Amino acid sequence: MSLPAFYDAEIIRKEKFSDSTLLFELKLPEEASFTYQAGQFILIYQKINEKEENRAFSIASKPSQKTVELLIRIYEQGKVSPYLSQLKKGEKIKIRGPFGIFTVKNRKEEIIFIAAGTGIAPLRSMIHEILENNLQKKVTLIFGFRQEQDFFFQEEFNQLERNYKNFHLYPCATQPTETWPYAKGRVTQIFPNIITN
């Protein structure tokens, strides 16, 4: 089995999601035969001090999409993410992929997704794939984060819940404002109440 290929991907969108989180949308060359499964990841490469470094980032977009979206948290002391934060729309980055076997295996039984922070990225891809393929299994997402600004893809998930009767969303924040209408605390605190319903 051959290893995944390298590609020069163009940044066609760069959006600030929070103080330390960015969404990148990448376009691959027209001739690229890049296909992936929901839940897989890519490697991004950057040369630092004459040495090529790479970091793995989960694909947040759905497989039916022609572009690739990545939800990336920027770490000041990191090697690759600070470099990415400086890039602009139209610039290109070296990637390789897809990799990984973190995919939905059983498509018949109920599935519960649990995510925190940017860990929502591969689950977003999986949820879209399941719902788009009209699988009638019950899908539950328990999404934990610190503050409201970290409720990534909020309107998108709310819309999915309105559109699909088999999709249920449970957001929870550990440091919300007083007007926060959803659960407060960590996902481990609300999980027992959800799975007994």
Side-chain angles (χ1 to χ4, degrees), residues 8-21:
D8 287 322
E10 179 185 354
I11 299 172
I12 60 173
R13 180 164 66 107
K14 178 184 176 183
E15 182 179 345
K16 185 176 182 179
F17 264 37
S18 72
D19 292 338
S20 60
T21 310

Side-chain angles (χ1 to χ4, degrees), residues 96-111:
R96 190 181 195 186
F99 295 93
I101 57 172
F102 178 54
T103 57
V104 176
K105 304 296 191 300
N106 190 321
R107 295 175 173 268
K108 294 182 179 180
E109 296 182 3
E110 174 184 350
I111 186 166

